[in-house]
Amino acid sequence: MNENKISCAPADKGQTQWDSIDWVKAEVSVKKLQARIVKAQREGRYNKVKALQWTLTHSFYAKALAVKRVTSNGGGNTPGVDMETWDKPEAKFQAINALRRRGYQPKPLRRVHIKKSNGKLRPLGIPTLKDRAMQALYLLALQPVAETTADTHSYGFRKERRCMDAVRQCHCILSKGYSPKWILEGDIKGCFDHISHEWLLANIPMDKVMLRKWLKCGYIFQKKMFPTEEGTPQGGIISPTLANMTLDGLQKILADKYKRIHRGGKHYSPMVNLVRYADDFIITCENRETLEKEIKPLVAEFMAERGLTLSEEKTVITNINDGFDFLGFNIRKYGRELLTKPTKKAEKRFMENIRKTVKGNKGCKQESLIRMLNRKIRGWGAYYQHGATRDSFQRMDNQIYLSLWQWAKRRHSKKGKRWIADRYWHNIRGNKWTFAAKFKKSNGKEDQLTLLKLSSTFPFMPYTQIKGDMNPFDNDCRLYFNQRMKAKMLVTLKGRRSLLYLWEKQNRLCPICGEPIDTHKAWNVMTSVDNGRKCNILVHDECFKLSRKSNVNKE
């Protein structure tokens, strides 16, 4: 078979091994089809959209990427009811050929429960690996349509969008002097569990036969079979996109009803704005009565058509001067200034996690404890550094210091405070109270590892919000997302343009594994020999460690 036609073929007979698949070529092939789907959807050529979706879901490369997704993420080792996992490359390659629409019948979900922040249990349905791969395959064809028809201020479970985009949008619509003062905090009661199957089958633009099979597959709990009459399973790869498409359209309804008024050559806005992240959303308005008597019933009616209801417990109306919590941030106006700070719950949860780690490792080396804590501090600090967090970060640093002081005193109960301080805290760059450990590297040289501090390591960083009408699957938006990724990577590389040059010179790929180097995975700089000359290359941290181990073994 001609190699150029692999992307449109059910299978490539020339391809015999999983490791020999050209993943860059696979990505390019799938992206081309997705861009054509976006173009056809925008032009209203819905039959063309269906034809392109069919081509994509029968593509070898799309199937390969679907299998790769479900086996490379964190859930790859979590089996479904068949207790089957694809660990070996041979099993993964065989799975590609097994992803066929004809004769496909999904197996029931494996029902488990996880604890929510309020102590209640959330049901989670785990499909088998084959069912997950099939969902990932059809999601590749559905996502371009979902992105084209989505609300511009919807940010949850969407490519290239994140929580900070939603928080930044809240800041934009509430920070001005003439901004609305009243906010409806909306929350949908059991969103994933109660979406109407009839509405999904009538309105989701995808293969109805496959969608019906997934919705009606049932679940097994305590060795008993139960039917699924409503909702999409939390745990299914395609479920977040289905939920997003269910809630899309509310922004347009509000915009049509509360249009800007043209009066005396000026525009007057009723200040009704929607910001949504998954099933959590806020709606702003200039007065409480409109929210209570008009907008809330309108939203309830919109949800009822889809089989959903608003949670009376969590759906409240608040004033911006009192503030509200959204995505881990407390957004509140202090006089004329709007500040976004970490919520008290987020601070408490973070410190509980830190204390649990410190208390659970009473006898470990200082170096090991620092590595464990740095991982947690780095994640928390990177999430909140775009807000007004100076006071919060200083408070957290102080609490971490107190926990570490108790840890150190317990290890040396018969020693004095000065001795303990001299052993674990050192003067580094003028800071006498730096929790640091000295250790020897594999080559015999001495190195030093210091604990990260939130207040000094994560200074305030302005966040550039994504443009609402940008579509990551559209070729016309490619330059925008390319520049945005470049700016994000420059931040990750700590402003070192020499490393940015290396990153672009390598086509943004790791030379060892061939996978993209992005902001999601840790990176490292490694020295390699090319034609007798030493040069630096940018690699994934995992690849760097594996390379060092292999060199040590050779020696």
Side-chain angles (χ1 to χ4, degrees):
M1 184 176 287
N2 190 345
E3 190 178 356
N4 294 328
K5 296 182 180 179
I6 286 177
S7 62
C8 298
D12 177 21
K13 295 180 181 178
Q15 204 73 270
T16 56
Q17 293 181 354
W18 173 262
D19 296 330
S20 67
I21 297 175
D22 189 342
W23 295 111
V24 175
K25 189 174 180 180
E27 290 276 1
V28 171
S29 176
V30 170
K31 283 181 179 178
K32 283 182 179 178
L33 280 172
Q34 289 177 326
R36 291 176 65 190
I37 291 173
V38 170
K39 185 179 178 182
Q41 179 69 28
R42 283 188 172 164
E43 293 173 354
R45 300 164 63 193
Y46 303 119
N47 288 332
K48 182 69 173 176
V49 171
K50 289 181 181 179
L52 289 170
Q53 285 181 324
W54 180 275
T55 303
L56 181 56
T57 54
H58 289 72
S59 159
F60 171 82
Y61 282 145
K63 292 178 180 180
L65 288 173
V67 173
K68 183 184 178 184
R69 174 175 177 176
V70 300
T71 54
S72 61
N73 60 19
N77 297 324
T78 306
V81 291
D82 59 355
M83 304 307 291
E84 180 182 347
T85 56
W86 300 332
D87 299 325
K88 297 181 180 178
E90 293 80 9
K92 296 177 185 178
F93 192 80
Q94 290 174 3
I96 297 175
N97 296 324
L99 300 183
R100 298 179 182 273
R101 182 181 184 276
R102 180 177 294 179
Y104 169 72
Q105 184 60 45
K107 292 184 178 180
L109 307 169
R110 182 164 69 90
R111 175 61 64 91
V112 296
H113 292 86
I114 57 174
K115 277 190 176 182
K116 297 167 69 174
S117 58
N118 59 5
K120 295 181 180 179
L121 294 176
R122 172 180 288 147
L124 196 68
I126 303 175
T128 63
L129 269 178
K130 182 178 179 180
D131 294 336
R132 269 179 266 173
M134 285 294 282
Q135 288 187 20
L137 174 63
Y138 278 81
L139 182 60
L140 289 172
L142 180 62
Q143 269 187 322
V145 180
E147 284 292 330
T148 308
T149 59
D151 290 344
T152 54
H153 298 311
S154 161
Y155 299 99
F157 302 117
R158 291 181 62 186
K159 195 174 181 181
E160 300 296 339
R161 298 185 180 224
R162 49 179 290 197
C163 295
M164 275 311 303
D165 291 303
V167 174
R168 183 63 189 166
Q169 178 63 18
C170 292
H171 192 277
C172 289
I173 62 178
L174 293 168
S175 60
K176 301 175 180 66
Y178 56 84
S179 295
K181 292 182 171 58
W182 292 97
I183 298 99
L184 171 69
E185 301 175 61
D187 185 87
I188 303 168
K189 191 175 181 180
C191 178
F192 283 84
D193 300 326
H194 300 296
I195 300 175
S196 168
H197 286 182
E198 290 73 20
W199 191 95
L200 287 172
L201 291 167
N203 293 277
I204 300 298
M206 66 170 291
D207 191 324
K208 308 295 183 185
V209 174
M210 297 297 291
L211 180 58
R212 184 183 294 276
K213 286 181 179 180
W214 288 325
L215 294 176
K216 303 294 184 182
C217 66
Y219 65 91
I220 292 178
F221 181 62
Q222 293 181 350
K223 298 182 180 181
K224 293 182 181 180
M225 179 73 179
F226 297 90
T228 47
E229 301 297 337
E230 60 180 6
T232 60
Q234 293 192 55
I237 287 178
I238 204 170
S239 295
T241 301
L242 294 178
N244 262 339
M245 296 186 78
T246 303
L247 300 175
D248 283 333
L250 180 58
Q251 181 180 319
K252 186 177 184 304
I253 291 173
L254 292 171
D256 290 343
K257 183 170 181 179
Y258 300 96
K259 291 182 179 178
R260 300 184 72 180
I261 303 168
H262 185 78
R263 187 185 300 158
K266 295 182 179 179
H267 289 284
Y268 296 91
S269 171
M271 301 184 186
V272 176
N273 302 286
L274 170 73
V275 181
R276 181 169 64 82
Y277 189 92
D279 60 338
D280 293 328
F281 62 90
I282 66 156
I283 300 175
T284 66
C285 190
E286 53 193 350
N287 59 76
R288 185 186 181 105
E289 290 73 20
T290 305
L291 280 175
E292 218 162 17
K293 297 179 180 179
E294 294 182 21
I295 294 177
K296 189 175 179 181
L298 179 67
V299 174
E301 183 183 350
F302 175 86
M303 298 297 173
E305 291 177 7
R306 292 151 175 78
L308 302 171
T309 55
L310 290 174
S311 171
E312 293 297 330
E313 178 188 349
K314 297 181 180 178
T315 303
V316 294
I317 298 174
T318 55
N319 191 286
I320 189 61
N321 295 319
D322 297 325
F324 63 97
D325 294 347
F326 189 59
L327 301 177
F329 281 89
N330 178 259
I331 304 172
R332 182 179 175 184
K333 216 164 192 177
Y334 298 84
R336 295 184 179 181
E337 189 175 9
L338 185 81
L339 298 181
T340 53
K341 302 179 179 181
T343 63
K344 297 298 180 183
K345 288 182 180 178
E347 290 182 358
K348 183 181 178 182
R349 193 162 51 243
F350 172 67
M351 278 312 305
E352 284 177 353
N353 196 0
I354 292 290
R355 292 187 185 106
K356 184 179 178 181
T357 302
V358 173
K359 289 179 180 178
N361 294 276
K362 295 175 181 177
C364 76
K365 293 181 180 179
Q366 185 186 14
E367 172 197 343
S368 302
L369 182 63
I370 289 175
R371 292 186 192 279
M372 286 186 280
L373 293 180
N374 276 353
R375 193 179 300 116
K376 299 178 187 299
I377 293 170
R378 189 179 289 111
W380 203 79
Y383 181 79
Y384 285 105
Q385 72 177 136
H386 305 291
T389 52
R390 183 189 61 185
D391 295 340
S392 175
F393 279 7
Q394 288 178 351
R395 190 162 54 248
M396 295 300 100
D397 282 339
N398 184 52
Q399 292 295 316
I400 293 171
Y401 162 76
L402 293 175
S403 294
L404 292 174
W405 183 253
Q406 292 297 325
W407 175 85
K409 283 203 304 180
R410 184 190 177 281
R411 290 165 70 91
H412 307 283
S413 57
K414 296 182 180 179
K415 297 290 185 179
K417 293 180 180 179
R418 187 178 294 276
W419 187 93
I420 294 172
D422 291 341
R423 180 179 176 86
Y424 293 105
W425 280 267
H426 306 281
N427 189 344
I428 298 175
R429 297 174 186 173
N431 189 346
K432 296 181 180 180
W433 288 93
T434 303
F435 193 73
K438 294 181 180 180
F439 62 96
K440 286 188 177 181
K441 298 170 70 175
S442 56
N443 55 9
K445 293 182 179 180
E446 194 175 71
D447 200 358
Q448 190 168 259
L449 184 67
T450 62
L451 183 75
L452 296 177
K453 279 198 171 185
L454 288 166
S455 53
S456 58
T457 312
F458 302 96
F460 170 75
M461 184 179 295
Y463 182 78
T464 305
Q465 183 186 348
I466 190 172
K467 292 181 180 178
D469 57 349
M470 290 291 108
N471 187 337
F473 298 101
D474 191 351
N475 281 335
D476 296 337
C477 304
R478 186 181 298 174
L479 180 61
Y480 172 81
F481 284 107
N482 185 51
Q483 294 296 328
R484 187 172 173 83
M485 174 55 72
K486 188 175 177 181
K488 285 182 179 179
M489 199 63 195
L490 187 61
V491 173
T492 306
L493 298 172
K494 300 176 183 177
R496 287 178 278 183
R497 294 193 173 272
S498 58
L499 294 181
L500 188 70
Y501 170 76
L502 274 181
W503 179 61
E504 292 192 312
K505 186 181 178 182
Q506 298 171 190
N507 294 321
R508 305 183 177 187
L509 301 174
C510 175
I512 297 178
C513 66
E515 294 293 314
I517 295 178
D518 51 29
T519 57
H520 302 296
K521 284 187 177 182
W523 52 268
N524 217 319
V525 180
M526 189 173 76
T527 303
S528 67
V529 179
D530 185 18
N531 295 327
R533 296 177 60 186
K534 288 186 176 181
C535 61
N536 290 332
I537 57 173
L538 207 62
V539 298
H540 288 127
D541 197 44
E542 295 174 357
C543 299
F544 177 76
K545 291 175 182 177
L546 289 172
S547 178
R548 283 179 59 186
K549 283 183 181 179
S550 62
N551 290 335
V552 169
N553 292 335
K554 287 179 183 178
E555 292 174 0

